[in-house]
Amino acid sequence: MDDQELKKVYDYLLSCSIDKKQNIDAAYEKAQKTKANIFEILVNDKILKEEEATKIKADFLRIPYVSLKEKVIDEAVLRVIPEKAVMFYKFVPFEYDNNLLKVGMVNPDNFDALDALKFISIRHGISTKIYLISKGSFNTITKQYKTFGDELKNVLETVDKRIEHKEERGDKDKDKETQRITEEAPVSKVVDIIISHAVEGKASDIHIESSEKDLRVRYRLDGELHDSLILPKKLGPAVVSRIKILSNLKIDETRKPQDGRFRFNLSDHSGLGKSVDLRVSTFPTVNGEKVVMRILDTSSEIANLESLGIRLKALNIVKENIKKPFGIILITGPTGSGKSTTLYAILKLLNKEGVNVVTLEDPVEYYLEGINQSQVKPEIGYTFASGLRSILRQDPDIVMVGEIRDKETAELAMHAALTGHLVLSTLHTNNSVGVIPRLVDMGIESFLIGSALNIAIAQRLVRRICPYCKEEIQVPPEILASVEEEIKFIPEEQRNDVDISKGLKFYRGKGCKECKNSGSIGRVGIYEVLSMTPEMEKVIHAKVTDNDIEEETKRQGMITMKQDGIIKALLGMTSIEEVMRVTEE
């Protein structure tokens, strides 16, 4: 607090109805000499009680005041902000209602804390309102956090005792007893904590793996697996059985893999008040069953093409081609590269009144109002191929097929694209050029590919640099040389928003509290878009090699995924190491 600000506080204190004005003078003089906070001096010297001083400070700052010393916070509200962030930034959530989170702050003039709160607000899609609280109120709430932190430990102790008691009774009715334990509160609570923690941490998958010594829980965050919890090995069968019960799977079948699905309501376990779907897969291993749960947040907002990372010429090509009344649009890449998200972003643009849109998916990951979505069930013979035949009898304008896996589905999709339907689907190839030989391998004639294919979009996901700890770095000479060589082949209009006149600048995230020292928050796509032009159609009809097709893409001015990634690295969106990692042959 500088002298000018201190004088303002002093004048305000004199205007308040406080006994013994000479004490205010003494506190003011002490603050001038020591540069300490005058409100802390008033409390430490017992001139004012802590809550009284906090209330006066709140009035001076024109911030609402609240006392939390007698308040017990719902654990669902506490979950909205992690304990580490609470302790570091000295703020606590104390009420959540109608998408508004009320937060008590000890130091509302701490800009780092305000930035962190803004990040939390954006991350969860909620609004926040700041209240001034005393240190006493803050300590009251943090003790409740410690109680919440011990919750899992207490639950595990209870479960452990019950399982030990079961073993003492012998193996009689073992499966029945395991089911009984898993249906009761302790194991249910463990599973709830595992899922809630994953959803709040923005994980995409949960891996529950049994080893010789313990049960390990790992979360996939931004494409990488991270250890989260280590549980007692004895808990493994009970946790797996609980998940099987929720997924409507057979708990006594441990020899074969099983697949299921269930909905988890976070409003019962978190302050965010939403539901997520979990796709469950069990797999037998030598140490017990492994469970993987894919988190499908059907309530989350579907991204648009720009926010996904499709830019400039590639964005224009995509938007032009989705306006066409027929043809096929294929999105390609490995598992986990974001193909489905791109499909949904395109469907969001196409979903208009007067258009009949029908989808075949496995599974339905997002629900779109106004679109007829169907989930395939191969176990009853309802496959992509059989479903596509039925869809074509439903008079669709636009058809989305989750994936082209075989010749039959490919032929039906091509037929639909040539008979007046716009078809969207995915394919597994390494790049956009690989779409053409892949379709040929499936038995599709090259002349049909040239006539039916509109565009092929290849993509990968790279980690986005944390904006809170981004710093400029020097890259190794060999990488710099490789980048300079690639830039030579990027057309000027494809990099007109990148300033390289002063040299090539690259960045990384050094790690901070916001990104949990990972240096990254979220991911962004890198893309290449192959457009079916008359010239490209001639090349395909001539049945030439991949190299000839690549030469034609260069003539078109198409940039590769690697080149798109380099541009995003120069823009500070991702690191050059990430780009090299996902684009290496």
Side-chain angles (χ1 to χ4, degrees):
M1 188 178 291
D2 59 30
D3 291 341
Q4 187 177 0
E5 185 72 14
L6 178 60
K7 183 63 167 62
K8 288 181 181 179
V9 175
Y10 170 68
D11 291 339
Y12 183 79
L13 287 168
L14 290 177
S15 69
C16 298
S17 48
I18 302 173
D19 295 334
K20 299 179 181 180
K21 300 290 184 182
Q22 63 272 24
N23 290 337
I24 303 298
D25 293 337
Y28 176 58
E29 291 176 5
K30 189 173 183 178
Q32 284 182 308
K33 292 177 182 177
T34 63
K35 302 300 181 183
N37 187 292
I38 189 170
F39 289 104
E40 291 183 2
I41 292 172
L42 291 169
V43 175
N44 294 337
D45 291 356
K46 298 182 179 179
I47 298 170
L48 293 176
K49 292 183 179 179
E50 185 181 45
E51 294 304 321
E52 184 183 3
T54 305
K55 190 174 188 307
I56 292 172
K57 182 180 179 181
D59 291 338
F60 173 74
L61 296 173
R62 296 183 179 180
I63 296 175
Y65 157 81
V66 65
S67 173
L68 303 177
K69 282 190 171 180
E70 305 297 327
K71 193 172 180 66
V72 177
I73 311 299
D74 190 301
E75 72 174 49
V77 177
L78 293 177
R79 285 174 185 261
V80 179
I81 301 180
E83 184 180 357
K84 287 183 179 179
V86 166
M87 300 304 293
F88 185 80
Y89 293 111
K90 298 294 187 292
F91 54 44
V92 291
F94 65 89
E95 192 174 313
Y96 181 81
D97 185 45
N98 198 26
N99 211 42
L100 176 66
L101 180 69
K102 294 181 179 179
V103 179
M105 296 188 73
V106 175
N107 300 309
D109 52 353
N110 182 335
F111 292 110
D112 288 339
L114 292 173
D115 285 343
L117 188 60
K118 183 179 179 181
F119 172 77
I120 291 169
S121 174
I122 294 171
R123 186 178 185 182
H124 291 309
I126 58 178
S127 301
T128 56
K129 185 176 181 179
I130 296 172
Y131 290 74
L132 187 69
I133 60 172
S134 65
K135 288 183 179 179
S137 289
F138 177 78
N139 292 334
T140 297
I141 306 306
T142 54
K143 287 178 183 176
Q144 295 178 43
Y145 260 103
K146 287 179 171 56
T147 302
F148 170 67
D150 292 337
E151 179 186 22
L152 182 58
K153 181 181 177 182
N154 295 335
V155 169
L156 294 179
E157 289 176 353
T158 304
V159 172
D160 205 33
K161 289 177 182 177
R162 294 193 179 195
I163 293 177
E164 285 178 2
H165 178 64
K166 180 198 72 173
E167 290 177 343
E168 288 173 2
R169 292 171 52 185
D171 291 332
K172 187 178 180 181
D173 295 328
K174 181 177 179 181
D175 292 330
K176 188 175 180 181
E177 183 66 11
T178 300
Q179 180 175 354
R180 186 184 69 79
I181 291 175
T182 58
E183 288 175 337
E184 294 177 359
V187 170
S188 298
K189 193 69 176 176
V190 170
V191 174
D192 291 347
I193 290 170
I194 290 171
I195 297 172
S196 296
H197 186 58
V199 175
E200 290 162 14
K202 303 293 183 182
S204 61
D205 301 88
I206 305 170
H207 290 241
I208 301 175
E209 303 161 325
S210 183
S211 66
E212 290 184 7
K213 298 180 180 178
D214 49 41
L215 186 72
R216 181 172 61 164
V217 179
R218 296 196 291 170
Y219 298 147
R220 189 177 293 281
L221 300 167
D222 296 335
E224 282 196 350
L225 282 172
H226 299 269
D227 287 346
S228 180
L229 297 170
I230 302 295
L231 304 175
K233 184 174 175 61
K234 291 181 180 179
L235 197 59
V239 168
V240 173
S241 293
R242 174 59 182 166
I243 294 170
K244 284 183 175 181
I245 290 168
L246 291 171
S247 310
N248 199 27
L249 302 177
K250 297 177 181 178
I251 66 168
D252 57 345
E253 178 55 82
T254 60
R255 300 166 300 169
K256 295 191 299 184
Q258 297 186 73
D259 296 306
R261 183 171 178 153
F262 69 94
R263 175 161 289 190
F264 184 78
N265 190 357
L266 264 77
S267 60
D268 298 335
H269 315 282
S270 164
L272 300 181
K274 65 177 182 179
S275 297
V276 295
D277 285 351
L278 291 108
R279 188 172 64 189
V280 179
S281 173
T282 67
F283 185 77
T285 71
V286 293
N287 292 312
E289 287 185 278
K290 172 178 177 174
V291 177
V292 175
M293 292 184 280
R294 166 66 62 89
I295 300 171
L296 307 173
D297 188 356
T298 55
S299 64
S300 62
E301 183 70 20
I302 296 173
N304 55 42
L305 295 174
E306 291 87 345
S307 65
L308 292 178
I310 305 179
R311 52 195 298 281
L312 301 180
K313 183 179 179 180
L315 180 63
N316 292 331
I317 290 173
V318 173
K319 287 186 173 181
E320 286 171 7
N321 279 274
I322 64 177
K323 291 177 183 177
K324 293 181 179 180
F326 59 89
I328 187 166
I329 295 172
L330 290 176
I331 302 174
T332 181
T335 301
S337 61
K339 298 188 298 296
S340 295
T341 303
T342 304
L343 274 180
Y344 280 110
I346 294 174
L347 280 178
K348 185 179 177 181
L349 290 174
L350 294 171
N351 185 18
K352 297 177 181 177
E353 189 175 352
V355 178
N356 181 19
V357 184
V358 187
T359 74
L360 271 177
E361 305 176 52
D362 184 22
V364 176
E365 295 188 23
Y366 297 94
Y367 294 103
L368 296 170
E369 189 69 30
I371 289 182
N372 306 288
Q373 296 173 268
S374 181
Q375 182 165 320
V376 298
K377 295 181 180 178
E379 65 272 15
I380 62 171
Y382 182 39
T383 62
F384 283 123
S386 62
L388 188 51
R389 281 200 189 88
S390 299
I391 281 179
L392 296 178
R393 292 192 287 269
Q394 291 282 314
D395 188 31
D397 299 296
I398 299 165
V399 178
M400 193 268 268
V401 181
E403 184 182 345
I404 294 177
R405 298 174 178 171
D406 50 50
K407 179 182 179 181
E408 186 180 10
T409 307
E411 288 177 339
L412 287 167
M414 289 291 170
H415 173 72
L418 291 170
T419 54
H421 305 88
L422 184 62
V423 181
L424 311 175
S425 192
T426 68
L427 201 64
H428 284 286
T429 63
N430 289 329
N431 52 32
S432 59
V433 172
V435 165
I436 295 163
R438 176 77 176 115
L439 290 173
V440 172
D441 288 344
M442 284 183 165
I444 307 299
E445 294 290 343
S446 59
F447 70 89
L448 288 177
I449 297 172
S451 301
L453 184 64
N454 289 351
I455 53 172
I457 306 171
Q459 66 179 83
R460 298 289 189 277
L461 291 177
V462 291
R463 287 187 281 273
R464 193 187 288 268
I465 294 175
C466 172
Y468 296 97
C469 60
K470 184 168 73 173
E471 63 177 4
E472 188 177 340
I473 60 166
Q474 297 294 323
V475 300
E478 61 272 16
I479 293 181
L480 191 61
S482 174
V483 169
E484 289 173 342
E485 185 65 24
E486 287 288 345
I487 288 176
K488 293 177 184 177
F489 298 100
I490 302 177
E492 181 66 31
E493 69 273 12
Q494 296 277 46
R495 53 180 173 89
N496 56 20
D497 54 349
V498 181
D499 183 12
I500 59 174
S501 59
K502 297 179 181 178
L504 304 181
K505 295 182 179 180
F506 296 100
Y507 307 86
R508 70 169 182 184
K510 63 181 179 181
C512 65
K513 291 286 183 180
E514 295 298 338
C515 60
K516 299 178 181 178
N517 292 318
S518 67
S520 62
I521 296 178
R523 290 185 288 178
V524 65
I526 57 174
Y527 299 86
E528 62 183 39
V529 180
L530 181 151
S531 179
M532 186 55 66
T533 60
E535 293 78 13
M536 180 64 76
E537 195 170 348
K538 290 177 183 177
V539 171
I540 295 172
H541 286 177
K543 296 183 179 180
V544 291
T545 65
D546 289 359
N547 288 335
D548 295 314
I549 298 173
E550 286 181 9
E551 285 300 318
E552 176 57 25
T553 62
K554 289 178 183 178
R555 196 198 63 77
Q556 289 181 9
M558 182 191 90
I559 64 171
T560 65
M561 282 183 289
K562 185 174 184 178
Q563 291 168 344
D564 188 40
I566 288 171
I567 293 172
K568 289 182 169 77
L570 290 168
L571 289 170
M573 298 169 68
T574 187
S575 67
I576 191 63
E577 290 84 3
E578 266 291 283
V579 175
M580 296 300 180
R581 180 181 67 84
V582 302
T583 58
E584 284 180 355
E585 293 294 336

